[in-house]
Short mmCIF file of all heavy atoms in Angstrom, two decimals:
data_model
loop_
_atom_site.label_atom_id
_atom_site.label_comp_id
_atom_site.label_asym_id
_atom_site.label_seq_id
_atom_site.Cartn_x
_atom_site.Cartn_y
_atom_site.Cartn_z
N PHE A 21 -2.54 12.43 -13.85
CA PHE A 21 -3.81 11.79 -13.66
C PHE A 21 -4.34 11.99 -12.27
O PHE A 21 -3.67 12.52 -11.42
CB PHE A 21 -3.66 10.24 -13.91
CG PHE A 21 -2.90 9.53 -12.85
CD1 PHE A 21 -3.51 8.75 -11.87
CD2 PHE A 21 -1.49 9.76 -12.69
CE1 PHE A 21 -2.81 8.06 -10.89
CE2 PHE A 21 -0.84 9.04 -11.70
CZ PHE A 21 -1.49 8.30 -10.80
N THR A 22 -5.63 11.73 -12.09
CA THR A 22 -6.27 11.95 -10.77
C THR A 22 -6.26 10.64 -10.07
O THR A 22 -6.84 9.64 -10.28
CB THR A 22 -7.78 12.31 -10.97
OG1 THR A 22 -7.85 13.51 -11.80
CG2 THR A 22 -8.50 12.66 -9.64
N LEU A 23 -5.46 10.71 -8.97
CA LEU A 23 -5.09 9.53 -8.16
C LEU A 23 -6.29 8.93 -7.45
O LEU A 23 -6.34 7.68 -7.31
CB LEU A 23 -4.06 10.02 -7.14
CG LEU A 23 -3.26 8.97 -6.32
CD1 LEU A 23 -1.85 9.45 -6.07
CD2 LEU A 23 -4.02 8.71 -5.08
N LYS A 24 -7.31 9.68 -7.17
CA LYS A 24 -8.35 9.13 -6.38
C LYS A 24 -9.15 8.17 -7.05
O LYS A 24 -10.03 7.43 -6.50
CB LYS A 24 -9.28 10.35 -5.98
CG LYS A 24 -10.13 10.98 -7.00
CD LYS A 24 -11.01 12.07 -6.49
CE LYS A 24 -11.80 12.68 -7.56
NZ LYS A 24 -12.74 13.71 -7.02
N ASN A 25 -9.10 8.07 -8.38
CA ASN A 25 -9.85 7.13 -9.14
C ASN A 25 -9.30 5.72 -9.15
O ASN A 25 -9.93 4.83 -9.76
CB ASN A 25 -10.05 7.58 -10.57
CG ASN A 25 -10.74 8.96 -10.74
OD1 ASN A 25 -11.65 9.17 -9.84
ND2 ASN A 25 -10.43 9.72 -11.60
N TYR A 26 -8.23 5.52 -8.57
CA TYR A 26 -7.46 4.29 -8.70
C TYR A 26 -6.99 3.72 -7.39
O TYR A 26 -6.87 4.37 -6.39
CB TYR A 26 -6.22 4.52 -9.60
CG TYR A 26 -6.56 5.05 -10.96
CD1 TYR A 26 -6.43 6.37 -11.11
CD2 TYR A 26 -6.93 4.25 -12.05
CE1 TYR A 26 -6.68 6.97 -12.35
CE2 TYR A 26 -7.22 4.76 -13.25
CZ TYR A 26 -7.10 6.18 -13.44
OH TYR A 26 -7.42 6.63 -14.68
N ARG A 27 -6.78 2.38 -7.38
CA ARG A 27 -6.11 1.77 -6.27
C ARG A 27 -4.64 2.04 -6.22
O ARG A 27 -4.09 2.01 -7.31
CB ARG A 27 -6.28 0.20 -6.26
CG ARG A 27 -7.72 -0.17 -6.00
CD ARG A 27 -7.83 -1.67 -5.57
NE ARG A 27 -7.43 -2.63 -6.57
CZ ARG A 27 -7.48 -3.89 -6.40
NH1 ARG A 27 -7.80 -4.43 -5.24
NH2 ARG A 27 -7.10 -4.77 -7.38
N ILE A 28 -4.14 2.43 -5.02
CA ILE A 28 -2.69 2.78 -4.93
C ILE A 28 -2.13 1.82 -3.90
O ILE A 28 -2.64 1.54 -2.86
CB ILE A 28 -2.54 4.23 -4.48
CG1 ILE A 28 -3.37 5.19 -5.39
CG2 ILE A 28 -1.05 4.55 -4.35
CD1 ILE A 28 -2.71 5.23 -6.80
N GLY A 29 -0.87 1.36 -4.18
CA GLY A 29 -0.13 0.45 -3.21
C GLY A 29 1.20 1.05 -2.94
O GLY A 29 1.86 1.73 -3.68
N TRP A 30 1.66 0.65 -1.73
CA TRP A 30 3.02 0.92 -1.31
C TRP A 30 3.76 -0.51 -1.23
O TRP A 30 3.16 -1.40 -0.69
CB TRP A 30 3.06 1.53 0.14
CG TRP A 30 2.77 2.99 0.09
CD1 TRP A 30 1.67 3.71 0.40
CD2 TRP A 30 3.82 4.04 -0.22
NE1 TRP A 30 1.75 4.98 0.31
CE2 TRP A 30 3.11 5.29 -0.02
CE3 TRP A 30 5.11 4.00 -0.53
CZ2 TRP A 30 3.79 6.51 -0.26
CZ3 TRP A 30 5.74 5.22 -0.81
CH2 TRP A 30 5.11 6.48 -0.65
N PHE A 31 4.79 -0.53 -1.76
CA PHE A 31 5.69 -1.76 -1.85
C PHE A 31 7.18 -1.36 -1.31
O PHE A 31 7.49 -0.22 -1.29
CB PHE A 31 5.70 -2.34 -3.24
CG PHE A 31 4.43 -2.67 -3.84
CD1 PHE A 31 3.54 -1.68 -4.26
CD2 PHE A 31 4.06 -4.03 -3.83
CE1 PHE A 31 2.31 -2.06 -4.76
CE2 PHE A 31 2.82 -4.36 -4.30
CZ PHE A 31 1.91 -3.34 -4.79
N ARG A 32 7.84 -2.43 -1.00
CA ARG A 32 9.24 -2.16 -0.51
C ARG A 32 10.11 -3.33 -1.06
O ARG A 32 9.62 -4.44 -1.25
CB ARG A 32 9.34 -1.89 0.96
CG ARG A 32 9.02 -3.17 1.77
CD ARG A 32 8.95 -2.89 3.22
NE ARG A 32 8.74 -4.09 4.07
CZ ARG A 32 8.57 -4.06 5.39
NH1 ARG A 32 8.60 -2.88 6.04
NH2 ARG A 32 8.27 -5.15 6.06
N GLN A 33 11.38 -2.99 -1.14
CA GLN A 33 12.39 -3.97 -1.60
C GLN A 33 13.55 -3.78 -0.84
O GLN A 33 14.24 -2.64 -0.96
CB GLN A 33 12.62 -3.96 -3.10
CG GLN A 33 13.50 -5.08 -3.53
CD GLN A 33 13.50 -5.25 -5.06
OE1 GLN A 33 13.12 -4.42 -5.85
NE2 GLN A 33 13.91 -6.42 -5.50
N ALA A 34 13.93 -4.68 -0.06
CA ALA A 34 15.21 -4.71 0.72
C ALA A 34 16.37 -5.31 -0.02
O ALA A 34 16.04 -6.12 -0.92
CB ALA A 34 15.11 -5.39 2.09
N PRO A 35 17.62 -4.95 0.26
CA PRO A 35 18.70 -5.51 -0.45
C PRO A 35 18.67 -7.04 -0.46
O PRO A 35 18.48 -7.68 0.65
CB PRO A 35 19.97 -5.05 0.36
CG PRO A 35 19.46 -3.79 0.90
CD PRO A 35 18.00 -3.95 1.20
N GLY A 36 18.84 -7.64 -1.58
CA GLY A 36 18.77 -9.10 -1.68
C GLY A 36 17.48 -9.81 -1.53
O GLY A 36 17.42 -11.03 -1.53
N LYS A 37 16.40 -9.04 -1.43
CA LYS A 37 15.16 -9.64 -1.21
C LYS A 37 14.16 -9.18 -2.38
O LYS A 37 14.41 -8.26 -3.07
CB LYS A 37 14.52 -9.16 0.14
CG LYS A 37 15.30 -9.75 1.28
CD LYS A 37 14.59 -9.45 2.60
CE LYS A 37 15.25 -9.98 3.82
NZ LYS A 37 14.50 -9.79 5.09
N GLU A 38 13.05 -9.93 -2.50
CA GLU A 38 12.03 -9.66 -3.49
C GLU A 38 11.23 -8.50 -2.97
O GLU A 38 11.04 -8.22 -1.82
CB GLU A 38 11.13 -10.90 -3.77
CG GLU A 38 11.88 -12.00 -4.43
CD GLU A 38 10.94 -13.12 -4.81
OE1 GLU A 38 9.74 -13.06 -4.56
OE2 GLU A 38 11.44 -14.09 -5.54
N ARG A 39 10.64 -7.78 -3.98
CA ARG A 39 9.75 -6.72 -3.61
C ARG A 39 8.46 -7.32 -2.99
O ARG A 39 7.88 -8.26 -3.46
CB ARG A 39 9.43 -5.91 -4.78
CG ARG A 39 8.53 -4.67 -4.60
CD ARG A 39 8.54 -3.80 -5.79
NE ARG A 39 8.21 -4.43 -7.05
CZ ARG A 39 8.32 -3.96 -8.26
NH1 ARG A 39 8.87 -2.84 -8.37
NH2 ARG A 39 7.98 -4.71 -9.30
N GLU A 40 7.95 -6.56 -1.90
CA GLU A 40 6.75 -7.08 -1.23
C GLU A 40 5.82 -5.91 -1.03
O GLU A 40 6.14 -4.76 -0.94
CB GLU A 40 7.16 -7.67 0.17
CG GLU A 40 7.75 -6.60 1.10
CD GLU A 40 7.95 -7.20 2.52
OE1 GLU A 40 7.39 -8.31 2.83
OE2 GLU A 40 8.69 -6.59 3.28
N GLY A 41 4.50 -6.34 -1.04
CA GLY A 41 3.45 -5.43 -0.77
C GLY A 41 3.41 -4.98 0.67
O GLY A 41 3.48 -5.89 1.56
N VAL A 42 3.30 -3.71 0.99
CA VAL A 42 3.17 -3.19 2.32
C VAL A 42 1.83 -2.77 2.73
O VAL A 42 1.31 -3.17 3.68
CB VAL A 42 4.16 -2.04 2.48
CG1 VAL A 42 4.05 -1.38 3.87
CG2 VAL A 42 5.63 -2.50 2.25
N SER A 43 1.25 -2.06 1.82
CA SER A 43 -0.07 -1.47 2.14
C SER A 43 -0.73 -0.96 0.88
O SER A 43 -0.07 -0.63 -0.09
CB SER A 43 -0.17 -0.34 3.14
OG SER A 43 -1.38 0.06 3.54
N CYS A 44 -2.11 -0.95 0.79
CA CYS A 44 -2.75 -0.42 -0.42
C CYS A 44 -4.07 0.17 0.01
O CYS A 44 -4.60 -0.17 1.14
CB CYS A 44 -2.87 -1.46 -1.51
SG CYS A 44 -3.64 -2.85 -1.06
N ILE A 45 -4.60 1.06 -0.82
CA ILE A 45 -5.86 1.75 -0.54
C ILE A 45 -6.76 1.78 -1.73
O ILE A 45 -6.27 1.95 -2.85
CB ILE A 45 -5.56 3.09 0.05
CG1 ILE A 45 -6.84 3.88 0.51
CG2 ILE A 45 -4.80 4.01 -1.06
CD1 ILE A 45 -6.58 5.05 1.37
N GLY A 46 -7.99 1.46 -1.56
CA GLY A 46 -9.02 1.50 -2.66
C GLY A 46 -9.26 2.86 -3.24
O GLY A 46 -9.05 3.92 -2.51
N SER A 47 -9.93 2.95 -4.38
CA SER A 47 -10.25 4.17 -4.93
C SER A 47 -11.18 4.99 -4.14
O SER A 47 -11.26 6.29 -4.21
CB SER A 47 -10.85 3.93 -6.35
OG SER A 47 -12.05 3.14 -6.33
N ASP A 48 -11.97 4.34 -3.27
CA ASP A 48 -13.05 4.98 -2.47
C ASP A 48 -12.36 5.58 -1.15
O ASP A 48 -12.96 6.35 -0.45
CB ASP A 48 -14.11 4.13 -2.11
CG ASP A 48 -13.79 2.89 -1.37
OD1 ASP A 48 -12.56 2.74 -0.99
OD2 ASP A 48 -14.62 2.11 -0.98
N GLY A 49 -11.10 5.12 -0.91
CA GLY A 49 -10.35 5.60 0.21
C GLY A 49 -10.74 4.89 1.53
O GLY A 49 -10.01 5.01 2.55
N SER A 50 -11.76 4.14 1.47
CA SER A 50 -12.23 3.44 2.68
C SER A 50 -11.63 2.08 2.88
O SER A 50 -11.57 1.57 4.06
CB SER A 50 -13.82 3.39 2.81
OG SER A 50 -14.29 2.59 1.81
N SER A 51 -11.35 1.39 1.84
CA SER A 51 -10.82 0.07 1.91
C SER A 51 -9.26 0.10 1.81
O SER A 51 -8.69 0.59 0.98
CB SER A 51 -11.39 -0.75 0.70
OG SER A 51 -11.00 -0.30 -0.47
N THR A 52 -8.72 -0.41 2.93
CA THR A 52 -7.24 -0.47 3.00
C THR A 52 -6.82 -1.87 3.34
O THR A 52 -7.55 -2.66 4.00
CB THR A 52 -6.77 0.51 3.99
OG1 THR A 52 -7.28 0.17 5.29
CG2 THR A 52 -7.16 1.92 3.70
N ARG A 53 -5.58 -2.17 3.03
CA ARG A 53 -5.00 -3.45 3.35
C ARG A 53 -3.55 -3.27 3.82
O ARG A 53 -2.88 -2.34 3.44
CB ARG A 53 -4.91 -4.35 2.15
CG ARG A 53 -6.27 -4.73 1.59
CD ARG A 53 -6.20 -6.04 0.77
NE ARG A 53 -5.95 -7.19 1.60
CZ ARG A 53 -5.87 -8.39 1.05
NH1 ARG A 53 -6.24 -8.70 -0.19
NH2 ARG A 53 -5.52 -9.40 1.86
N LEU A 54 -3.05 -4.07 4.70
CA LEU A 54 -1.78 -3.99 5.35
C LEU A 54 -1.16 -5.30 5.34
O LEU A 54 -1.89 -6.30 5.65
CB LEU A 54 -1.79 -3.37 6.80
CG LEU A 54 -2.11 -1.94 6.98
CD1 LEU A 54 -2.49 -1.59 8.35
CD2 LEU A 54 -0.94 -1.09 6.51
N ALA A 55 0.09 -5.42 5.00
CA ALA A 55 0.77 -6.74 5.20
C ALA A 55 0.94 -7.06 6.65
O ALA A 55 0.89 -6.15 7.55
CB ALA A 55 2.22 -6.73 4.59
N ASP A 56 0.95 -8.33 6.97
CA ASP A 56 0.99 -8.79 8.43
C ASP A 56 2.06 -8.19 9.15
O ASP A 56 2.00 -7.86 10.30
CB ASP A 56 1.02 -10.33 8.48
CG ASP A 56 -0.31 -10.91 8.07
OD1 ASP A 56 -1.36 -10.23 8.14
OD2 ASP A 56 -0.35 -12.12 7.80
N SER A 57 3.31 -8.02 8.47
CA SER A 57 4.55 -7.51 9.07
C SER A 57 4.39 -6.05 9.58
O SER A 57 5.22 -5.61 10.31
CB SER A 57 5.71 -7.63 8.16
OG SER A 57 5.38 -6.97 6.93
N VAL A 58 3.39 -5.28 9.10
CA VAL A 58 3.34 -3.91 9.39
C VAL A 58 2.05 -3.56 10.12
O VAL A 58 1.79 -2.36 10.44
CB VAL A 58 3.50 -3.00 8.25
CG1 VAL A 58 4.88 -3.32 7.50
CG2 VAL A 58 2.39 -3.14 7.17
N LYS A 59 1.21 -4.54 10.29
CA LYS A 59 -0.04 -4.23 10.94
C LYS A 59 0.19 -3.66 12.40
O LYS A 59 0.97 -4.11 13.14
CB LYS A 59 -1.00 -5.55 11.04
CG LYS A 59 -1.66 -5.82 9.71
CD LYS A 59 -2.51 -7.08 9.83
CE LYS A 59 -3.16 -7.34 8.52
NZ LYS A 59 -3.96 -8.60 8.56
N GLY A 60 -0.64 -2.67 12.75
CA GLY A 60 -0.44 -2.07 14.06
C GLY A 60 0.55 -1.03 14.04
O GLY A 60 0.71 -0.31 15.02
N ARG A 61 1.36 -0.85 12.99
CA ARG A 61 2.51 0.17 12.90
C ARG A 61 2.34 1.04 11.90
O ARG A 61 2.77 2.31 11.95
CB ARG A 61 3.86 -0.65 12.75
CG ARG A 61 4.11 -1.61 13.99
CD ARG A 61 5.53 -2.14 13.93
NE ARG A 61 5.79 -2.88 12.74
CZ ARG A 61 6.83 -2.58 11.86
NH1 ARG A 61 7.58 -1.58 12.10
NH2 ARG A 61 7.02 -3.40 10.76
N PHE A 62 1.90 0.66 10.69
CA PHE A 62 1.73 1.50 9.47
C PHE A 62 0.30 1.78 9.22
O PHE A 62 -0.60 0.96 9.46
CB PHE A 62 2.27 0.81 8.20
CG PHE A 62 3.86 0.54 8.23
CD1 PHE A 62 4.64 0.84 9.38
CD2 PHE A 62 4.46 0.19 7.12
CE1 PHE A 62 5.97 0.65 9.27
CE2 PHE A 62 5.84 0.01 7.04
CZ PHE A 62 6.57 0.23 8.23
N THR A 63 0.04 2.96 8.67
CA THR A 63 -1.25 3.43 8.18
C THR A 63 -1.12 4.12 6.87
O THR A 63 -0.28 4.95 6.62
CB THR A 63 -1.82 4.46 9.23
OG1 THR A 63 -1.89 3.87 10.55
CG2 THR A 63 -3.25 4.83 8.82
N ILE A 64 -2.09 3.66 6.06
CA ILE A 64 -2.19 4.31 4.69
C ILE A 64 -3.38 5.28 4.62
O ILE A 64 -4.38 4.92 5.21
CB ILE A 64 -2.20 3.31 3.58
CG1 ILE A 64 -2.03 3.91 2.16
CG2 ILE A 64 -3.65 2.46 3.67
CD1 ILE A 64 -1.92 2.87 1.06
N SER A 65 -3.18 6.37 3.87
CA SER A 65 -4.34 7.34 3.73
C SER A 65 -4.08 8.09 2.47
O SER A 65 -3.09 8.03 1.91
CB SER A 65 -4.39 8.26 4.95
OG SER A 65 -3.20 8.99 5.10
N ARG A 66 -5.15 8.84 2.17
CA ARG A 66 -5.06 9.64 0.87
C ARG A 66 -5.72 10.96 1.13
O ARG A 66 -6.59 11.11 1.84
CB ARG A 66 -5.66 8.85 -0.31
CG ARG A 66 -7.21 8.67 -0.17
CD ARG A 66 -7.61 7.61 -1.15
NE ARG A 66 -7.19 7.82 -2.54
CZ ARG A 66 -7.14 6.89 -3.49
NH1 ARG A 66 -7.55 5.67 -3.18
NH2 ARG A 66 -6.69 7.19 -4.70
#
C-alpha cells in the first residue's frame, strides 16, 4: 500500500508495561504529534 495516504504512528512497549504512543504523522506529512516524554528528543518524518 502507499503509506503517504495514511496516518502512521510509532508506539513502544517496555517489559511489564502497556504499549504507549510515541509519535505520529498525518497523511499530509505536516502534522505531527509527540508524547510528552519524548518531546525535544524524538522527531518523526516521512
Side-chain angles (χ1 to χ4, degrees):
F21 72 106
T22 302
L23 189 147
K24 69 176 182 179
N25 295 329
Y26 304 96
R27 290 201 291 181
I28 304 295
W30 281 99
F31 298 79
R32 67 185 181 186
Q33 187 166 19
K37 295 188 176 181
E38 293 188 355
R39 185 164 52 191
E40 63 173 344
V42 176
S43 185
C44 54
I45 187 166
S47 57
D48 61 2
S50 63
S51 57
T52 62
R53 297 200 64 175
L54 289 166
D56 289 342
S57 59
V58 304
K59 282 181 180 177
R61 301 188 298 123
F62 290 12
T63 304
I64 190 171
S65 62
R66 64 197 310 160

